[in-house]
Amino acid sequence: MSLLIPIGKKIKRIARGIRTPPSVLSYARRINSVRTSERICAMTFDDGPSYAPVSPGEEGKTLTPVLLDILKHYGAKGTFDIIGTTADNYPDIAGEAGTPSWSGVRFDHYPAFGKDKLAGAVNCSELVRRIIDEGHQLSNHGYAHIIFGKKSIIYGKRAYLDSLEDAVSDIRKLNELVKKEHSYDIGFMRPAHYVDNIKGGFSSYDAIGLNSMQYLGASFDGAGWLPVKAESIEASYKAEVEACVAPLREALEKDPDALCGKIIFQKDGYNMALRTPVADALPLQLEILKEYGYRVVTVSDLMEASSFSDVSSDNEYAEIFKKLCEKSAAAYSDNSIRPNDKATRADLVMMACGGREAIEEKIRLRREKRSPFKDVSYKSEYCGAFSLAAKQGLIEIRDGRAEPALPAFGEEGITRGMCAEKVLKLV
């Protein structure tokens, strides 16, 4: 295995701890897991659908049909995080097997370099239809699986989209394709390689929110993407399968409730060594989950059981926030609602005005480099909602400052939960 991979992962963890800003109120939330004591979890499968041959495997067997057969056998439902096609991602050169550029240096090519027509919704329409018909869920993984912004570590040579409009268009292109061909509305999006930064000071949350979707994250790594180097191909493959299964087994042995509400990341494609350990690991994973009494459901069904990361469905404010989140930024970008926190003026404006229109207003103000308020910068994630709230009479501008116009929202000690109750009666 290339040393670049573990080194890159370590640097990424350090950088995240130092530079990642705190979660903000956001119309698009990253769904990594939900809070529940029920033994349910979700599995997501990236980069397909795929007619790529199972490798190593039996002659004639292709990956997505094999995964669907396994899921059916166990009565499990998956969320397939599909692409459109990578067939247009040329000119390019193939990277070295076992490294992050295995599928291409400037672009990704799925299922493998030069074999783009074996994967994606454009080329595998019958597989998309089967996924839907068998009760699984579709998620958007980018029409062309091009990263949204520059990522110097590991992907320094990788091409990326040039603007927020390009990212919005890439997401919408796949949504419209699936809607036209299959009458299916996709509600979740996972950016390629989880790259969130977009040129101009924007992010994937803006692009996803402008498409009225949620960000599909994960909280448990199924590990099928990472190659293991051993003395032979057979030994390597055996080790890769075990690497998919062992963490899940160990987590549940330590705590049988460890995967309650979790979203598991898997691959519907080759790993970096052009092998598909998921094909042999998946039944072993599902057998273990069955043994511990888990149901494997779609991400939508997981969120129907419990919507948020910090409170379960029996919380007194859970249903209120669930209704607000359908139209505004009542929750944080990490999918928490924090109902007992003290409410702020940002809570008021984002709960009342923090939907798609607020994102559009934020983009306008940020590009004009101006704000109607002295105390809310155009660089603020909330500037668009504050601007709309002022137009709607929820905010007054006093000496250039933004102040709540409704006395009920200026009460001492009002919590976010209480604020949400009041806003729901207004909107």
Side-chain angles (χ1 to χ4, degrees):
M1 180 175 66
S2 170
L3 284 175
L4 184 61
I5 299 167
I7 291 171
K9 289 175 74 175
K10 185 174 182 180
I11 293 172
K12 185 179 179 181
R13 283 195 299 271
I14 295 170
R16 185 186 296 123
I18 296 172
R19 300 186 317 192
T20 300
S23 296
V24 295
L25 294 164
S26 178
Y27 184 44
R29 297 120 56 203
R30 181 165 173 160
I31 316 301
N32 288 328
S33 64
V34 299
R35 182 77 171 268
T36 180
S37 59
E38 188 179 356
R39 289 191 182 177
I40 53 175
C41 63
M43 281 190 171
T44 63
F45 299 89
D46 279 17
D47 305 334
S50 177
Y51 281 122
V54 172
S55 172
E58 218 175 292
E59 182 87 21
K61 285 197 172 184
T62 57
L63 186 55
T64 303
V66 165
L67 299 181
L68 289 170
D69 288 344
I70 295 167
L71 291 169
K72 180 185 285 187
H73 177 78
Y74 283 92
K77 301 300 179 185
T79 297
F80 286 80
D81 202 31
I82 65 171
I83 64 167
T85 179
T86 55
D88 301 321
N89 293 356
Y90 292 93
D92 196 8
I93 57 173
E96 182 184 349
T99 73
S101 62
W102 68 274
S103 63
V105 172
R106 296 196 68 244
F107 300 96
D108 282 313
H109 302 277
Y110 293 139
F113 195 89
K115 298 182 179 179
D116 308 73
K117 290 189 177 180
L118 291 177
V122 172
N123 309 302
C124 306
S125 183
E126 303 89 348
L127 286 180
V128 175
R129 186 73 255 163
R130 182 180 168 188
I131 290 169
I132 297 169
D133 288 347
E134 294 187 4
H136 306 291
Q137 183 174 12
L138 298 178
S139 171
N140 187 317
H141 199 32
Y143 183 88
H145 203 273
I146 298 174
I147 56 177
F148 285 170
K150 189 173 183 179
K151 187 174 184 180
S152 299
I153 299 174
I154 297 181
Y155 291 111
K157 296 181 180 179
R158 188 59 57 92
Y160 56 91
L161 297 178
D162 196 51
S163 66
L164 175 61
E165 286 76 14
D166 287 343
V168 170
S169 177
D170 181 78
I171 296 169
R172 185 173 297 146
K173 188 174 182 180
L174 180 53
N175 284 353
E176 290 177 349
L177 171 71
V178 172
K179 178 69 173 179
K180 180 180 178 181
E181 293 193 358
H182 303 285
S183 301
Y184 185 96
D185 293 309
I186 299 180
F188 291 87
M189 197 278 159
R190 175 178 286 161
H193 302 298
Y194 289 109
V195 175
D196 292 331
N197 58 299
I198 296 175
K199 188 186 292 187
F202 302 108
S203 77
S204 61
Y205 291 86
D206 295 318
I208 293 169
L210 287 169
N211 278 287
S212 300
M213 304 169 77
Q214 297 303 329
Y215 188 133
L216 179 61
S219 46
F220 194 90
D221 188 357
W225 59 279
L226 199 58
V228 178
K229 190 172 183 180
E231 62 274 8
S232 66
I233 292 176
E234 292 77 14
S236 294
Y237 183 72
K238 184 177 179 180
E240 288 165 2
V241 172
E242 178 60 16
C244 295
V245 179
L248 187 146
R249 183 196 305 115
E250 291 165 5
L252 292 175
E253 285 175 350
K254 184 176 180 181
D255 177 7
D257 293 321
L259 294 180
C260 290
K262 294 292 192 290
I263 297 174
I264 301 170
F265 173 85
Q266 306 270 48
K267 286 278 284 185
D268 184 11
Y270 292 128
N271 67 10
M272 293 182 188
L274 294 177
R275 294 187 286 264
T276 59
V278 66
D280 283 309
L282 181 59
L284 302 176
Q285 293 171 327
L286 292 173
E287 195 65 50
I288 294 169
L289 288 167
K290 180 182 176 182
E291 177 187 339
Y292 281 88
Y294 279 82
R295 289 188 300 117
V296 179
V297 300
T298 65
V299 172
S300 286
D301 286 342
L302 190 70
M303 291 192 70
E304 191 61 34
S306 184
S307 299
F308 304 108
S309 62
D310 61 333
V311 302
S312 56
S313 58
D314 58 2
N315 182 278
E316 63 178 313
Y317 292 112
E319 192 61 29
I320 292 169
F321 275 93
K322 184 177 179 181
K323 290 177 181 177
L324 277 180
C325 284
E326 292 174 359
K327 59 185 74 177
S328 71
Y332 287 87
S333 51
D334 65 1
N335 196 35
S336 65
I337 60 172
R338 311 176 197 181
N340 297 320
D341 284 7
K342 183 179 178 180
T344 66
R345 58 182 185 165
D347 288 313
L348 167 62
V349 301
M350 293 298 280
M351 287 181 189
C353 306
R356 176 175 171 167
E357 295 81 6
I359 301 174
E360 293 171 343
E361 181 75 352
K362 178 186 74 174
I363 292 167
R364 183 180 70 81
L365 294 173
R366 190 164 288 180
R367 285 180 171 159
E368 292 176 1
K369 295 186 178 181
R370 68 176 186 85
S371 170
F373 315 99
K374 291 180 181 178
D375 57 341
V376 182
S377 168
Y378 68 84
K379 296 180 181 179
S380 168
E381 290 297 318
Y382 307 145
C383 64
F386 269 96
S387 179
L388 293 181
K391 294 174 184 177
Q392 294 176 21
L394 295 174
I395 288 289
E396 291 179 348
I397 303 177
R398 302 173 194 163
D399 297 323
R401 296 176 59 84
E403 301 289 347
L406 304 179
F409 291 95
E411 295 173 3
E412 189 69 28
I414 185 172
T415 65
R416 278 181 41 78
M418 294 160 63
C419 184
E421 267 186 317
K422 293 175 184 291
V423 171
L424 192 59
K425 293 174 182 177
L426 288 176
V427 297

